[in-house]
Coordinates of all heavy atoms in Angstrom, one line a residue:
M1 N 7.5 25.9 -11.9 CA 7.6 27.5 -12.1 C 6.9 27.9 -13.4 O 6.9 27.2 -14.4 CB 9.1 27.7 -12.3 CG 9.5 29.1 -12.6 SD 11.2 29.4 -12.6 CE 11.3 31.0 -12.8
L2 N 6.2 29.0 -13.3 CA 5.4 29.5 -14.4 C 6.3 30.2 -15.3 O 7.4 30.9 -14.9 CB 4.4 30.5 -13.9 CG 3.4 29.8 -12.9 CD1 2.4 31.0 -12.4 CD2 2.5 28.8 -13.7
S3 N 6.0 30.3 -16.6 CA 6.8 31.0 -17.6 C 6.0 32.2 -18.0 O 4.7 32.2 -18.1 CB 7.2 30.1 -18.7 OG 6.1 29.7 -19.4
A4 N 6.6 33.2 -18.4 CA 6.0 34.5 -19.0 C 5.5 34.2 -20.4 O 6.1 33.6 -21.1 CB 6.9 35.6 -18.8
V5 N 4.3 34.9 -20.6 CA 3.8 34.8 -22.0 C 3.8 36.2 -22.5 O 3.6 37.2 -21.8 CB 2.3 34.3 -21.8 CG1 1.6 34.3 -23.1 CG2 2.3 32.9 -21.2
E6 N 4.0 36.3 -23.9 CA 3.9 37.7 -24.5 C 2.5 38.1 -24.7 O 1.6 37.4 -25.1 CB 4.6 37.6 -25.9 CG 6.1 37.3 -25.8 CD 6.7 37.2 -27.2 OE1 5.9 36.8 -28.2 OE2 7.8 37.4 -27.3
I7 N 2.3 39.4 -24.5 CA 1.0 40.1 -24.8 C 1.4 41.1 -26.0 O 2.4 41.9 -25.9 CB 0.5 40.9 -23.6 CG1 0.2 40.0 -22.4 CG2 -0.8 41.7 -24.1 CD1 -0.2 40.8 -21.3
R8 N 0.6 40.8 -27.1 CA 1.0 41.6 -28.3 C -0.2 42.6 -28.6 O -1.3 42.4 -28.2 CB 1.1 40.6 -29.5 CG 2.4 39.8 -29.3 CD 2.6 38.8 -30.4 NE 3.8 38.1 -30.3 CZ 4.9 38.5 -30.8 NH1 5.0 39.6 -31.5 NH2 6.1 37.8 -30.6
I9 N 0.2 43.6 -29.4 CA -0.9 44.5 -30.0 C -1.8 43.6 -30.9 O -1.2 42.8 -31.7 CB -0.2 45.5 -30.9 CG1 0.7 46.4 -30.2 CG2 -1.3 46.4 -31.6 CD1 0.2 47.5 -29.3
P10 N -3.1 43.6 -30.6 CA -3.9 42.7 -31.4 C -4.1 43.1 -32.9 O -3.7 44.2 -33.3 CB -5.3 42.9 -30.7 CG -5.2 44.2 -30.0 CD -3.8 44.3 -29.6
K11 N -4.7 42.2 -33.7 CA -4.9 42.5 -35.1 C -6.0 43.6 -35.2 O -6.8 43.6 -34.5 CB -5.4 41.1 -35.7 CG -5.6 41.5 -37.1 CD -6.1 40.1 -37.8 CE -6.3 40.3 -39.3 NZ -6.8 39.2 -39.9
Y12 N -5.6 44.6 -36.1 CA -6.5 45.7 -36.2 C -7.7 45.2 -37.1 O -7.7 44.2 -37.8 CB -5.8 46.7 -37.1 CG -4.6 47.3 -36.5 CD1 -3.4 47.6 -37.1 CD2 -4.6 47.6 -35.0 CE1 -2.3 48.2 -36.5 CE2 -3.4 48.1 -34.5 CZ -2.4 48.4 -35.2 OH -1.2 49.0 -34.6
P13 N -8.9 45.8 -36.9 CA -10.1 45.5 -37.6 C -9.9 45.6 -39.0 O -9.1 46.4 -39.5 CB -11.1 46.5 -37.1 CG -10.6 47.2 -35.9 CD -9.0 47.0 -36.0
E14 N -10.7 44.8 -39.8 CA -10.6 44.8 -41.3 C -10.8 46.2 -41.9 O -10.2 46.5 -42.8 CB -11.6 43.8 -41.9 CG -11.3 42.4 -41.8 CD -12.3 41.5 -42.4 OE1 -12.8 41.9 -43.4 OE2 -12.4 40.3 -42.0
C15 N -11.7 46.9 -41.2 CA -12.0 48.3 -41.8 C -10.8 49.3 -41.6 O -10.9 50.4 -42.2 CB -13.3 48.9 -41.1 SG -13.0 49.3 -39.3
W16 N -9.8 48.8 -40.8 CA -8.7 49.8 -40.4 C -8.1 50.4 -41.6 O -7.9 51.6 -41.7 CB -7.7 48.9 -39.6 CG -6.7 49.8 -39.0 CD1 -5.4 50.0 -39.4 CD2 -6.8 50.4 -37.8 NE1 -4.8 50.8 -38.5 CE2 -5.5 51.1 -37.4 CE3 -7.8 50.5 -36.8 CZ2 -5.4 51.8 -36.3 CZ3 -7.6 51.2 -35.6 CH2 -6.4 51.9 -35.5
S17 N -7.8 49.6 -42.7 CA -7.0 50.2 -43.8 C -8.0 50.5 -44.9 O -7.7 51.3 -45.8 CB -6.0 49.3 -44.3 OG -6.5 48.0 -44.5
S18 N -9.2 49.9 -45.0 CA -10.1 50.1 -46.1 C -10.7 51.6 -46.1 O -10.7 52.2 -47.1 CB -11.2 49.1 -46.1 OG -12.0 49.2 -45.0
C19 N -11.1 52.0 -44.9 CA -11.7 53.3 -44.9 C -10.7 54.5 -44.6 O -10.8 55.6 -45.0 CB -12.9 53.4 -43.9 SG -12.4 53.6 -42.2
G20 N -9.6 54.1 -43.8 CA -8.5 55.0 -43.6 C -8.9 56.0 -42.6 O -8.0 56.9 -42.2
N21 N -10.0 56.0 -41.9 CA -10.4 57.0 -40.9 C -9.6 56.9 -39.6 O -9.3 57.8 -39.0 CB -11.9 57.1 -40.6 CG -12.6 57.8 -41.7 OD1 -12.1 58.6 -42.5 ND2 -13.9 57.5 -41.9
C22 N -9.4 55.6 -39.2 CA -8.8 55.3 -37.9 C -7.2 55.4 -38.1 O -6.6 56.0 -37.2 CB -9.2 54.0 -37.3 SG -10.9 54.0 -37.0
A23 N -6.8 54.7 -39.1 CA -5.4 54.5 -39.3 C -4.7 55.7 -40.1 O -4.4 55.5 -41.2 CB -5.0 53.2 -39.9
N24 N -4.7 56.8 -39.6 CA -4.2 58.0 -40.2 C -2.9 58.4 -39.6 O -2.9 59.0 -38.5 CB -5.2 59.1 -40.1 CG -4.8 60.4 -40.8 OD1 -3.9 60.3 -41.7 ND2 -5.5 61.5 -40.8
G25 N -1.8 58.0 -40.2 CA -0.5 58.4 -39.6 C 0.1 57.3 -38.7 O -0.5 56.1 -38.6
D26 N 1.1 57.6 -38.0 CA 1.7 56.6 -37.1 C 0.8 56.3 -35.9 O 0.0 57.2 -35.4 CB 3.0 57.2 -36.4 CG 4.1 57.2 -37.5 OD1 4.0 56.4 -38.5 OD2 5.1 57.9 -37.3
I27 N 0.8 55.1 -35.4 CA 0.1 54.6 -34.2 C 1.0 54.7 -33.1 O 2.2 54.0 -33.1 CB -0.4 53.3 -34.4 CG1 -1.5 53.3 -35.6 CG2 -1.2 52.8 -33.1 CD1 -1.7 52.0 -36.1
I28 N 0.9 55.5 -32.1 CA 1.7 55.7 -31.0 C 1.1 55.3 -29.6 O -0.2 55.3 -29.5 CB 2.3 57.2 -30.8 CG1 1.1 58.2 -30.6 CG2 3.0 57.5 -32.0 CD1 1.6 59.4 -30.1
V29 N 1.9 55.0 -28.6 CA 1.4 54.7 -27.3 C 1.2 56.0 -26.6 O 2.2 56.8 -26.4 CB 2.5 53.8 -26.5 CG1 2.0 53.5 -25.1 CG2 2.6 52.5 -27.3
Q30 N 0.0 56.2 -26.4 CA -0.4 57.4 -25.6 C -0.1 57.4 -24.1 O 0.3 58.3 -23.5 CB -1.9 57.8 -25.9 CG -2.4 59.1 -25.2 CD -3.9 59.2 -25.4 OE1 -4.7 58.4 -25.0 NE2 -4.3 60.3 -26.0
S31 N -0.6 56.2 -23.6 CA -0.5 55.9 -22.2 C 0.0 54.5 -21.8 O -0.6 53.6 -22.5 CB -1.7 56.2 -21.4 OG -2.1 57.5 -21.7
V32 N 0.8 54.3 -21.0 CA 1.2 53.0 -20.3 C 0.7 52.9 -19.0 O 0.9 53.6 -18.1 CB 2.8 52.7 -20.4 CG1 3.0 51.3 -19.8 CG2 3.3 52.7 -21.8
L33 N -0.3 51.9 -18.8 CA -0.9 51.9 -17.5 C -0.5 50.7 -16.6 O -1.2 50.5 -15.6 CB -2.6 51.8 -17.8 CG -3.1 52.8 -18.7 CD1 -4.6 52.6 -19.0 CD2 -3.0 54.2 -18.1
I34 N 0.5 50.1 -17.0 CA 1.0 49.0 -16.2 C 2.5 49.2 -15.9 O 3.2 50.0 -16.6 CB 0.9 47.7 -17.0 CG1 1.6 47.8 -18.3 CG2 -0.6 47.3 -17.1 CD1 1.7 46.5 -19.1
A35 N 3.0 48.5 -14.9 CA 4.4 48.5 -14.5 C 4.7 47.1 -14.0 O 3.9 46.2 -13.8 CB 4.7 49.4 -13.4
V36 N 6.0 46.8 -14.1 CA 6.5 45.4 -13.6 C 6.0 45.2 -12.2 O 6.1 46.1 -11.3 CB 8.0 45.3 -13.7 CG1 8.5 44.0 -13.0 CG2 8.5 45.4 -15.1
G37 N 5.4 44.0 -12.0 CA 5.0 43.6 -10.7 C 3.4 43.9 -10.5 O 2.8 43.4 -9.5
D38 N 2.8 44.6 -11.4 CA 1.4 44.8 -11.3 C 0.6 43.6 -11.6 O 0.9 42.8 -12.4 CB 0.9 45.8 -12.4 CG 1.3 47.3 -12.0 OD1 1.8 47.5 -10.9 OD2 1.1 48.2 -12.8
R39 N -0.5 43.3 -10.8 CA -1.4 42.2 -11.1 C -2.5 42.8 -11.9 O -3.0 43.9 -11.6 CB -1.9 41.7 -9.8 CG -2.9 40.6 -10.0 CD -3.3 39.9 -8.8 NE -2.2 38.8 -8.4 CZ -2.0 37.7 -9.0 NH1 -2.8 37.4 -10.0 NH2 -1.1 36.9 -8.6
V40 N -2.8 42.1 -13.0 CA -3.8 42.5 -13.8 C -4.9 41.4 -14.1 O -4.6 40.2 -14.0 CB -3.4 43.0 -15.3 CG1 -2.5 44.2 -15.2 CG2 -2.6 41.9 -16.0
A41 N -6.2 41.8 -14.3 CA -7.2 40.9 -14.6 C -7.5 40.9 -16.1 O -7.0 41.8 -16.8 CB -8.5 41.3 -13.9
R42 N -8.0 39.8 -16.6 CA -8.4 39.8 -18.0 C -9.2 41.0 -18.3 O -10.1 41.3 -17.5 CB -9.1 38.5 -18.3 CG -9.4 38.3 -19.8 CD -10.2 37.0 -20.0 NE -10.6 37.0 -21.3 CZ -10.3 36.1 -22.2 NH1 -9.6 35.1 -22.0 NH2 -10.8 36.1 -23.4
D43 N -8.9 41.6 -19.4 CA -9.6 42.8 -19.9 C -9.3 44.1 -19.3 O -9.8 45.2 -19.6 CB -11.2 42.6 -19.9 CG -11.6 41.5 -20.9 OD1 -11.1 41.4 -21.9 OD2 -12.6 40.8 -20.6
D44 N -8.4 44.2 -18.3 CA -7.8 45.4 -17.8 C -7.1 46.1 -18.9 O -6.4 45.4 -19.6 CB -6.9 45.2 -16.6 CG -7.5 44.8 -15.3 OD1 -8.8 44.9 -15.3 OD2 -6.9 44.5 -14.4
T45 N -7.3 47.4 -18.9 CA -6.5 48.1 -20.0 C -5.1 48.3 -19.6 O -4.7 48.6 -18.5 CB -7.1 49.6 -20.1 OG1 -8.4 49.5 -20.5 CG2 -6.3 50.4 -21.2
L46 N -4.1 47.9 -20.6 CA -2.7 47.9 -20.4 C -2.2 49.1 -20.9 O -1.3 49.8 -20.3 CB -2.0 46.7 -21.1 CG -2.6 45.3 -20.7 CD1 -1.9 44.2 -21.5 CD2 -2.4 45.0 -19.2
I47 N -2.5 49.5 -22.2 CA -2.0 50.8 -22.8 C -3.1 51.4 -23.5 O -4.1 50.7 -23.8 CB -0.8 50.5 -23.7 CG1 -1.2 49.5 -24.9 CG2 0.4 49.9 -23.0 CD1 -0.2 49.4 -26.0
V48 N -3.0 52.6 -23.9 CA -3.8 53.3 -24.8 C -3.0 53.8 -26.0 O -2.0 54.4 -25.9 CB -4.5 54.6 -24.1 CG1 -5.4 55.3 -25.0 CG2 -5.2 54.1 -22.8
L49 N -3.6 53.5 -27.1 CA -2.9 53.8 -28.4 C -3.7 55.1 -28.9 O -4.8 55.3 -28.8 CB -3.1 52.7 -29.5 CG -2.4 51.4 -29.1 CD1 -2.6 50.4 -30.3 CD2 -0.9 51.5 -28.8
E50 N -2.9 55.9 -29.6 CA -3.4 57.1 -30.3 C -3.1 57.0 -31.8 O -2.0 56.8 -32.2 CB -2.7 58.4 -29.7 CG -3.1 59.7 -30.5 CD -4.6 60.0 -30.4 OE1 -5.1 60.0 -29.2 OE2 -5.2 60.3 -31.4
T51 N -4.2 57.1 -32.7 CA -4.0 57.0 -34.1 C -4.0 58.2 -34.8 O -3.9 58.2 -36.1 CB -5.1 56.0 -34.6 OG1 -6.3 56.8 -34.6 CG2 -5.2 54.7 -33.9
G52 N -4.2 59.3 -34.2 CA -4.4 60.5 -34.9 C -5.9 61.0 -35.0 O -6.3 62.2 -35.0
K53 N -6.7 59.9 -35.0 CA -8.2 60.1 -35.1 C -8.9 59.6 -33.9 O -9.9 60.1 -33.6 CB -8.7 59.4 -36.4 CG -8.2 60.0 -37.7 CD -9.2 61.0 -38.1 CE -8.8 61.5 -39.5 NZ -9.8 62.4 -40.1
V54 N -8.4 58.4 -33.4 CA -9.1 57.8 -32.3 C -8.1 57.2 -31.2 O -6.9 57.0 -31.6 CB -10.0 56.6 -32.6 CG1 -11.1 57.0 -33.6 CG2 -9.2 55.6 -33.4
A55 N -8.5 57.1 -30.0 CA -7.7 56.4 -29.0 C -8.3 55.1 -28.8 O -9.5 54.9 -28.8 CB -7.8 57.3 -27.6
L56 N -7.4 54.0 -28.7 CA -7.8 52.7 -28.5 C -7.3 52.2 -27.2 O -6.0 52.2 -27.1 CB -7.3 51.9 -29.7 CG -7.8 52.2 -31.1 CD1 -7.0 51.4 -32.1 CD2 -9.3 51.9 -31.1
D57 N -8.1 51.6 -26.4 CA -7.6 50.8 -25.2 C -7.2 49.5 -25.6 O -8.0 48.8 -26.2 CB -8.8 50.7 -24.1 CG -9.2 52.1 -23.5 OD1 -8.3 53.1 -23.7 OD2 -10.1 52.2 -22.8
I58 N -6.1 49.0 -25.2 CA -5.6 47.6 -25.4 C -5.7 46.9 -24.1 O -5.0 47.1 -23.2 CB -4.2 47.7 -26.0 CG1 -4.1 48.4 -27.3 CG2 -3.7 46.2 -26.2 CD1 -5.0 48.0 -28.4
P59 N -6.7 45.8 -24.1 CA -6.7 45.1 -22.8 C -5.9 43.9 -22.7 O -5.4 43.4 -23.7 CB -8.2 44.7 -23.0 CG -8.5 44.5 -24.4 CD -7.6 45.5 -25.0
S60 N -5.8 43.4 -21.5 CA -5.0 42.2 -21.3 C -5.9 41.0 -21.7 O -7.0 40.8 -21.2 CB -4.6 42.1 -19.8 OG -4.0 40.8 -19.6
P61 N -5.3 40.0 -22.5 CA -6.1 38.8 -22.7 C -5.9 37.8 -21.7 O -6.6 36.7 -21.7 CB -5.3 38.4 -24.0 CG -3.9 38.8 -23.9 CD -4.0 40.2 -23.1
Y62 N -5.2 38.1 -20.6 CA -4.9 37.1 -19.5 C -4.9 37.8 -18.2 O -4.8 39.0 -18.0 CB -3.5 36.5 -19.6 CG -3.1 36.0 -21.0 CD1 -2.1 36.7 -21.8 CD2 -3.7 34.9 -21.5 CE1 -1.8 36.2 -23.0 CE2 -3.4 34.4 -22.7 CZ -2.4 35.0 -23.5 OH -2.1 34.6 -24.8
E63 N -5.0 37.0 -17.1 CA -4.9 37.4 -15.7 C -3.6 36.9 -15.2 O -3.1 35.9 -15.6 CB -6.0 36.7 -15.0 CG -6.0 37.1 -13.4 CD -7.2 36.6 -12.7 OE1 -8.2 36.5 -13.3 OE2 -6.9 36.3 -11.5
G64 N -2.9 37.8 -14.6 CA -1.5 37.4 -13.9 C -0.8 38.7 -13.6 O -1.3 39.7 -13.3
V65 N 0.5 38.4 -13.5 CA 1.5 39.6 -13.0 C 2.4 39.9 -14.1 O 3.0 39.1 -14.8 CB 2.3 39.0 -11.7 CG1 3.3 40.0 -11.3 CG2 1.4 38.7 -10.6
I66 N 2.5 41.2 -14.3 CA 3.4 41.8 -15.4 C 4.8 41.6 -14.9 O 5.1 42.0 -13.8 CB 3.1 43.3 -15.7 CG1 1.6 43.5 -16.1 CG2 4.1 43.9 -16.7 CD1 1.1 42.9 -17.4
T67 N 5.6 40.9 -15.8 CA 7.0 40.7 -15.5 C 8.0 41.6 -16.3 O 9.1 41.7 -15.9 CB 7.4 39.2 -15.7 OG1 7.2 38.9 -17.1 CG2 6.6 38.3 -14.8
E68 N 7.5 42.1 -17.4 CA 8.3 43.0 -18.3 C 7.4 43.9 -19.1 O 6.3 43.4 -19.6 CB 9.1 42.3 -19.1 CG 10.1 43.0 -20.0 CD 11.1 42.1 -20.8 OE1 11.3 41.0 -20.5 OE2 11.6 42.7 -21.8
V69 N 7.7 45.2 -19.2 CA 6.9 46.2 -20.1 C 7.9 46.5 -21.3 O 9.0 46.9 -21.0 CB 6.5 47.4 -19.3 CG1 5.8 48.4 -20.2 CG2 5.6 47.0 -18.1
R70 N 7.4 46.3 -22.5 CA 8.3 46.6 -23.6 C 7.8 47.8 -24.5 O 8.4 47.9 -25.6 CB 8.3 45.3 -24.5 CG 8.9 44.1 -23.8 CD 9.3 43.1 -24.9 NE 10.0 42.0 -24.2 CZ 10.2 40.8 -24.8 NH1 9.8 40.7 -26.0 NH2 10.8 39.8 -24.2
V71 N 6.9 48.5 -24.0 CA 6.6 49.8 -24.7 C 6.6 51.0 -23.8 O 6.6 50.8 -22.5 CB 5.2 49.7 -25.4 CG1 5.1 48.5 -26.4 CG2 4.1 49.4 -24.3
G72 N 6.9 52.1 -24.4 CA 6.9 53.3 -23.6 C 6.0 54.3 -24.2 O 5.6 54.3 -25.4
E73 N 5.6 55.4 -23.4 CA 4.8 56.5 -24.0 C 5.4 57.2 -25.1 O 6.7 57.3 -25.2 CB 4.5 57.4 -22.8 CG 3.5 56.8 -21.8 CD 3.1 57.9 -20.8 OE1 3.6 59.0 -20.7 OE2 2.3 57.5 -19.9
Y74 N 4.6 57.4 -26.1 CA 5.2 58.2 -27.3 C 5.9 57.3 -28.3 O 6.4 57.8 -29.3 CB 5.7 59.5 -27.0 CG 5.1 60.4 -26.1 CD1 5.6 60.6 -24.8 CD2 3.9 60.9 -26.4 CE1 4.9 61.3 -23.8 CE2 3.2 61.7 -25.3 CZ 3.8 61.8 -24.1 OH 3.1 62.6 -23.2
Q75 N 6.0 56.0 -28.0 CA 6.7 55.1 -29.0 C 5.7 54.7 -30.0 O 4.5 54.4 -29.8 CB 7.1 53.8 -28.1 CG 7.7 52.8 -28.9 CD 8.1 51.5 -28.1 OE1 8.2 51.6 -26.9 NE2 8.1 50.4 -28.7
S76 N 6.1 54.6 -31.2 CA 5.4 54.1 -32.4 C 5.3 52.6 -32.3 O 6.3 51.9 -32.0 CB 6.1 54.5 -33.7 OG 5.3 54.1 -34.8
V77 N 4.1 52.0 -32.5 CA 4.0 50.6 -32.5 C 3.2 50.1 -33.7 O 2.6 51.0 -34.4 CB 3.2 50.2 -31.2 CG1 4.0 50.4 -30.0 CG2 1.9 50.9 -31.1
D78 N 3.1 48.8 -33.9 CA 2.4 48.3 -35.0 C 1.7 46.9 -34.6 O 2.0 46.3 -33.5 CB 3.3 47.9 -36.3 CG 2.6 47.8 -37.5 OD1 1.4 47.9 -37.6 OD2 3.3 47.6 -38.5
E79 N 0.7 46.5 -35.3 CA 0.1 45.2 -35.1 C 1.1 44.1 -34.9 O 2.1 44.0 -35.6 CB -0.8 44.9 -36.3 CG -1.6 43.7 -36.2 CD -2.5 43.5 -37.5 OE1 -3.5 44.1 -37.6 OE2 -2.0 42.6 -38.3
G80 N 0.9 43.4 -33.7 CA 1.8 42.2 -33.5 C 2.9 42.5 -32.6 O 3.6 41.7 -32.1
D81 N 3.2 43.8 -32.3 CA 4.4 44.2 -31.5 C 4.1 43.7 -30.0 O 2.9 43.7 -29.6 CB 4.5 45.7 -31.4 CG 5.1 46.2 -32.8 OD1 5.6 45.4 -33.6 OD2 5.3 47.5 -32.8
V82 N 5.1 43.3 -29.3 CA 5.0 42.9 -28.0 C 4.8 44.1 -27.1 O 5.6 44.9 -27.0 CB 6.2 42.0 -27.6 CG1 6.0 41.6 -26.0 CG2 6.3 40.7 -28.4
I83 N 3.7 44.0 -26.2 CA 3.5 45.0 -25.3 C 4.2 44.7 -23.9 O 4.9 45.6 -23.4 CB 1.9 45.2 -25.0 CG1 1.2 45.5 -26.2 CG2 1.7 46.3 -23.8 CD1 -0.3 45.4 -26.0
A84 N 4.0 43.6 -23.4 CA 4.5 43.2 -22.2 C 4.7 41.7 -22.1 O 4.1 40.9 -22.9 CB 3.5 43.7 -21.1
L85 N 5.3 41.2 -21.0 CA 5.2 39.8 -20.6 C 4.5 39.7 -19.3 O 4.6 40.5 -18.5 CB 6.7 39.3 -20.4 CG 7.6 39.4 -21.6 CD1 8.9 38.8 -21.2 CD2 7.1 38.6 -22.7
I86 N 3.7 38.6 -19.3 CA 2.8 38.4 -18.1 C 3.0 36.8 -17.6 O 3.1 36.0 -18.4 CB 1.4 38.6 -18.4 CG1 0.5 38.6 -17.2 CG2 0.9 37.7 -19.5 CD1 -0.9 39.0 -17.3
E87 N 3.1 36.8 -16.4 CA 3.2 35.4 -15.7 C 1.7 35.1 -15.4 O 1.1 35.7 -14.5 CB 4.0 35.4 -14.4 CG 4.3 34.0 -14.1 CD 5.4 34.1 -12.9 OE1 6.6 34.1 -13.2 OE2 4.9 34.1 -11.7
R88 N 1.1 34.1 -16.1 CA -0.3 33.9 -16.1 C -0.6 33.0 -14.8 O 0.2 32.2 -14.4 CB -0.8 33.1 -17.3 CG -0.7 33.8 -18.6 CD -0.9 33.1 -19.7 NE -2.3 32.5 -19.7 CZ -2.8 31.7 -20.6 NH1 -2.1 31.3 -21.7 NH2 -4.1 31.2 -20.5
D89 N -1.8 33.3 -14.2 CA -2.3 32.6 -13.1 C -2.9 31.2 -13.6 O -3.3 31.0 -14.7 CB -3.4 33.4 -12.4 CG -2.9 34.5 -11.6 OD1 -1.7 34.5 -11.4 OD2 -3.6 35.5 -11.3

């Protein structure tokens, strides 16, 4: 039996806090593009983040089936937060 693996918000780029242009205010989930039971490929966009200045697509690091979604639209998130669980192929 396969076990689910956590997919997390990736580490922000080094320039994120140094210039301040991207990370202006709260980072929220603009769109959730997955649901439980969805099959995703590596690099498929899972969610879109809104920073106030830019929108960032967050891709899947794995291929598999989504078993749980842990974020919702308009929810505030941070680096390292769990987005979803995936049963990897």
